[in-house]
């Protein structure tokens, strides 16, 4: 028999078998057993046995048979070992990560796989894809999301559920849903932060004695779509873990997947950072303005503060009210601090300028009085100096002889003579006007100031008032002391001090002698 004849015979036998399988007669269908030679092609054998084909009648008989004794209330292998359930997730989109509500919304496909020997069949080798309504007739695990706030199964146009049944009883159940899960965000580094939002899957009622949840594949359990885009975030990756948790009802296996994301900073550069930087720099323009332009300087400072406050309020509306200090808060506070310093600089400059005005007016009004008091004060001082020099020269002449014609020929005074001079208790007689001529002829070097020479002094308001006092000092040379006369003039730094000193000198009418003691007026004995 040729190959063509064999194909014809096989097709005829296949038609007969199909007719017998579709017949609803009460008598059982006879079973024919055909044995083919070993050189028969495998395609012909599979076509005759019909293991890779299944029509409506075959699938209907399979479902009627397995569901006739099936109890949906009992788990597979009830009373025996726990049922291993493997879980895999395909993420289609992550719509939003909310900082205010501390949650995120995700749409995913959840696939669960387990083995139920009650659903095994041998009529065909093909996998059976069943309708979504079968979830009411078959046992399914009671998995739920632990951190879910709200979730729903998509039902457009029908409920997005699918069942795949394999010949050995393995069931693969898939469902498409959208859930809003809680996500605890760490905002200390906002807006340059990284977040990890997790999704936890756990059985609600079955403990580890009934169900053992596990990831389907440690490497490929989580699949992400290629078009995944998260608003304001960049997806970094995911990690999967599992742990056993304990409650008062027993221990449960929990599966955890963490989605790691990083916040995009580009939007905040445009909305927050650049406006605050430019506003802060704008407040520094007041440094180059005239101190008299108070309206412009104050307007720039207050406007900068208002702009920064508005930006800060806008950011606070987008963030939850948490106790931690965020990086954006520190940045805005630093900007406000610089703007506030610019206002303080204007206040300080304004104070320095206007506080010197009253002082200048008071000095301008007191200048005529200071000029008159100065000449009166210098006249009294010069007269007291003349009296003191006359008395000293008389004492020196009485003790040491007449004064030399030249100061180079003067003998150095000894320590004993100065001590006796200082310890003399006899009052020195004041020199008269006749005794002034020999003194001036003997010294020839020092000319006393007279009252007429005071008229040559400048009387302008720009000359500072000086307080002149006279002291008598000496310096050591070998064993002798040379007395010298030093005029020490100190500038009067305060108007009130100068007037007080002038009034005290004029009221008492005397100056100070060489030894630092007060001198009586001219014409009176010491």
């Amino acid at each position: 028999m040729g190959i063509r004849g064999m194909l014809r015979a096989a097709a005829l036998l296949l038609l007969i078998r199909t007719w017998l399988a579709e017949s609803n007669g009460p008598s059982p269908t006879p079973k024919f057993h055909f044995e083919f030679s070993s050189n028969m092609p495998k395609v012909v054998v599979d076509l005759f046995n019909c293991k890779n084909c299944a029509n409506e009648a075959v699938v209907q008989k399979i479902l009627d048979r397995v569901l006739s004794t099936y109890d949906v209330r009992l788990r597979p292998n009830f009373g025996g070992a726990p049922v291993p359930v493997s879980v895999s997730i395909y993420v289609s989109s992550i719509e939003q990560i909310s900082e205010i509500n501390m949650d995120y919304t995700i749409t995913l496909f959840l696939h669960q796989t387990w083995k139920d020997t009650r659903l095994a069949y041998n009529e065909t080798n093909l996998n059976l894809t069943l309708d979504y309504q079968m979830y009411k007739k078959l046992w399914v695990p009671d998995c739920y999301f632990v951190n879910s706030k709200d979730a729903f199964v998509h039902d457009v146009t029908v409920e997005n559920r699918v069942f795949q049944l394999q010949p050995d009883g393995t069931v693969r159940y898939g469902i498409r849903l959208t859930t809003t899960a809680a996500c605890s965000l760490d905002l200390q580094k906002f807006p340059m932060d990284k977040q990890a939002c997790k999704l936890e899957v756990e059985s609600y009622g079955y403990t580890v004695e009934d169900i053992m949840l596990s990831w389907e594949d440690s490497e490929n359990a989580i699949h992400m779509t290629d078009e995944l885009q998260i608003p304001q975030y960049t997806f970094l990756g995911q990690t999967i873990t599992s742990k056993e948790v304990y409650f008062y009802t027993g221990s449960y296996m929990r599966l955890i997947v963490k989605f790691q994301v990083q916040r995009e900073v580009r939007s905040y550069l445009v909305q927050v950072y650049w406006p605050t930087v430019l506003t802060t720099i704008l407040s520094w323009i007041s440094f180059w303005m005239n101190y008299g332009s108070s309206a412009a300087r104050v307007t720039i400072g207050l406007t900068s503060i208002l702009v920064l406050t508005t930006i800060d309020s806008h950011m606070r509306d987008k963030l939850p009210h948490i106790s931690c200090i965020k990086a954006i808060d520190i940045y805005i506070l630093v900007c406000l601090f610089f703007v506030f310093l610019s206002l303080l600089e204007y206040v300080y400059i304004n104070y320095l300028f206007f506080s010197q005005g009253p002082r200048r007016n008071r000095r301008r009004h007191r200048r005529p009085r200071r000029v008159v008091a100065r000449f009166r004060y210098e006249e009294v001082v010069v007269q007291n100096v003349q009296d003191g020099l006359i008395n000293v020269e008389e004492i020196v002449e009485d003790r040491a002889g007449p004064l030399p014609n030249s100061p180079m020929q003067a003998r150095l005074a000894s320590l004993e003579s100065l001590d006796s001079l200082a310890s003399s208790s006899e009052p020195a007689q004041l020199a008269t006007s006749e005794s002034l001529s020999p003194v001036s002829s003997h010294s020839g070097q020092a000319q006393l100031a007279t009252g007429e020479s005071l008229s040559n002094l400048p009387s302008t308001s720009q000359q500072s008032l000086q307080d002149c006092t006279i002291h008598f000092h000496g310096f050591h040379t070998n064993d002798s002391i040379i007395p010298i006369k030093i005029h020490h003039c100190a500038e009067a730094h305060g108007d009130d001090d100068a007037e007080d000193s002038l009034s005290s000198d004029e009221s008492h009418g005397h100056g100070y002698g060489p030894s630092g003691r007060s001198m009586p007026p001219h014409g009176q004995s010491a």
Side-chain angles (χ1 to χ4, degrees):
M1 180 182 294
I3 297 177
R4 184 176 296 179
M6 293 176 61
L7 291 176
R8 291 177 180 177
L12 180 60
L13 292 175
L14 180 61
L15 292 175
I16 295 174
R17 186 180 183 279
T18 303
W19 176 74
L20 293 175
E22 293 179 356
S23 63
N24 296 326
S27 60
T29 58
K31 296 183 179 180
F32 299 95
H33 180 70
F34 299 95
E35 292 183 359
F36 297 94
S37 61
S38 59
N39 57 357
M40 184 65 62
K42 186 176 182 301
V43 178
V44 177
V45 177
D46 293 339
L47 181 62
F48 180 78
N49 294 329
C50 197
K51 289 295 184 180
N52 293 331
C53 62
N55 53 21
E56 180 180 354
V58 174
V59 175
Q60 183 179 0
K61 286 185 177 181
I62 292 174
L63 295 179
D64 292 340
R65 179 182 59 81
V66 298
L67 295 178
S68 61
T69 58
Y70 190 86
D71 192 353
V72 69
R73 298 171 297 177
L74 302 178
R75 68 173 178 85
N77 195 18
F78 184 80
V83 180
V85 178
S86 58
V87 178
S88 63
I89 294 177
Y90 179 84
V91 179
S92 60
S93 64
I94 298 178
E95 287 83 5
Q96 182 182 8
I97 299 178
S98 175
E99 292 83 6
I100 299 178
N101 300 324
M102 290 288 183
D103 56 18
Y104 70 102
T105 303
I106 181 174
T107 301
L108 53 89
F109 294 87
L110 178 64
H111 297 279
Q112 306 174 59
T113 305
W114 67 95
K115 186 175 183 180
D116 192 349
T117 56
R118 298 175 296 179
L119 300 177
Y121 59 90
N122 55 7
E123 286 80 1
T124 179
N125 293 333
L126 297 179
N127 297 333
L128 303 180
T129 302
L130 307 179
D131 188 66
Y132 70 95
Q133 296 180 355
M134 289 297 296
Y135 83 94
K136 297 180 180 179
K137 300 179 181 180
L138 300 179
W139 178 90
V140 293
D142 58 345
C143 294
Y144 76 106
F145 298 108
V146 179
N147 58 333
S148 176
K149 293 183 178 180
D150 186 17
F152 64 92
V153 178
H154 293 266
D155 54 358
V156 179
T157 61
V158 294
E159 291 190 10
N160 300 156
R161 302 174 187 267
V162 63
F163 284 92
Q164 289 182 353
L165 186 61
Q166 298 179 6
D168 59 349
T170 301
V171 181
R172 185 175 181 85
Y173 172 53
I175 182 174
R176 178 173 179 258
L177 53 88
T178 298
T179 179
T180 301
C183 180
S184 180
L185 301 178
D186 186 8
L187 300 176
Q188 292 184 356
K189 297 181 180 180
F190 178 86
M192 296 173 289
D193 55 337
K194 296 181 180 180
Q195 304 296 338
C197 296
K198 60 183 179 180
L199 186 66
E200 300 175 343
V201 183
E202 183 182 322
S203 175
Y204 186 79
Y206 294 102
T207 62
V208 293
E209 297 177 356
D210 297 322
I211 288 180
M212 288 295 297
L213 292 178
S214 63
W215 292 109
E216 184 174 353
D217 189 356
S218 58
E219 296 181 357
N220 299 320
I222 306 298
H223 299 273
M224 310 294 294
T225 180
D226 297 335
E227 294 80 12
L228 180 62
Q229 293 182 357
I230 307 175
Q232 298 183 359
Y233 286 91
T234 301
F235 183 75
L236 300 179
Q238 73 278 347
T239 57
I240 57 175
T241 56
S242 61
K243 65 178 181 179
E244 186 175 354
V245 294
Y246 300 92
F247 298 99
Y248 68 94
T249 56
S251 60
Y252 301 84
M253 185 61 65
R254 180 176 296 179
L255 306 180
I256 303 173
V257 54
K258 291 183 180 180
F259 302 102
Q260 299 175 356
V261 294
Q262 184 177 4
R263 193 183 305 273
E264 289 285 348
V265 190
R266 290 176 294 181
S267 61
Y268 292 94
L269 287 176
V270 178
Q271 298 177 4
V272 178
Y273 285 104
W274 280 114
T276 53
V277 168
L278 295 178
T279 303
T280 305
I281 296 176
L282 179 63
S283 65
W284 297 346
I285 297 179
S286 60
F287 295 159
W288 288 271
M289 288 185 178
N290 188 8
Y291 58 84
S293 303
S294 59
R297 294 169 68 100
V298 173
T299 302
I300 290 177
L302 294 180
T303 304
S304 302
I305 292 179
L306 290 177
V307 170
L308 293 177
T309 306
T310 304
I311 295 175
D312 184 49
S313 301
H314 178 69
M315 293 302 303
R316 290 180 183 274
D317 293 339
K318 294 183 177 181
L319 298 176
H321 298 283
I322 55 180
S323 59
C324 68
I325 299 177
K326 300 175 285 295
I328 191 68
D329 296 336
I330 299 177
Y331 171 76
I332 294 179
L333 286 178
V334 171
C335 294
L336 284 172
F337 178 73
F338 279 105
V339 176
F340 180 72
L341 286 183
S342 66
L343 287 176
L344 286 184
E345 183 268 345
Y346 166 67
V347 173
Y348 179 70
I349 296 299
N350 192 35
Y351 170 76
L352 291 181
F353 175 75
F354 288 102
S355 62
Q356 294 179 0
R359 294 182 181 178
R360 294 178 180 177
N361 294 332
R362 288 196 299 269
R363 292 179 182 178
R364 189 178 298 109
H365 288 40
R366 291 179 181 177
R367 282 173 184 172
R369 296 169 55 188
R370 291 203 308 268
V371 172
V372 175
R374 173 189 173 191
F375 286 114
R376 293 180 61 187
Y377 178 73
E378 289 184 355
E379 183 179 0
V380 175
V381 170
V382 170
Q383 185 176 0
N384 292 335
V385 170
Q386 291 177 357
D387 296 342
L389 289 177
I390 291 171
N391 293 334
V392 171
E393 288 177 354
E394 287 181 354
I395 295 173
V396 172
E397 184 176 1
D398 295 340
R399 301 281 184 176
L403 294 175
N405 294 330
S406 177
M408 300 299 296
Q409 300 175 0
R411 183 173 55 88
L412 298 177
S414 61
L415 293 174
E416 292 78 3
S417 62
L418 293 177
D419 293 339
S420 61
L421 179 60
S423 61
S424 177
S425 61
E426 295 180 359
Q429 298 294 332
L430 294 177
T432 61
S433 60
E434 291 80 3
S435 62
L436 292 177
S437 57
V439 173
S440 60
S441 61
H442 287 293
S443 60
Q445 297 295 327
Q447 293 182 357
L448 299 178
T450 60
E452 291 77 1
S453 63
L454 295 177
S455 60
N456 298 325
L457 294 176
S459 59
T460 60
S461 60
Q462 300 299 329
Q463 183 176 3
S464 62
L465 180 61
Q466 295 181 350
D467 183 12
C468 298
T469 58
I470 189 167
H471 301 276
F472 193 78
H473 299 282
F475 60 90
H476 292 273
T477 59
N478 296 332
D479 295 334
S480 301
I481 297 178
I482 299 177
I484 60 176
K485 179 178 61 176
I486 300 176
H487 290 275
H488 180 70
C489 300
E491 183 179 358
H493 297 281
D495 300 334
D496 298 336
D497 298 335
E499 291 181 2
D500 293 339
S501 61
L502 289 174
S503 60
S504 62
D505 293 336
E506 292 174 1
S507 61
H508 290 84
H510 61 82
Y512 293 90
S515 61
R517 295 174 295 181
S518 60
M519 298 292 295
H522 180 68
Q524 298 181 4
S525 59

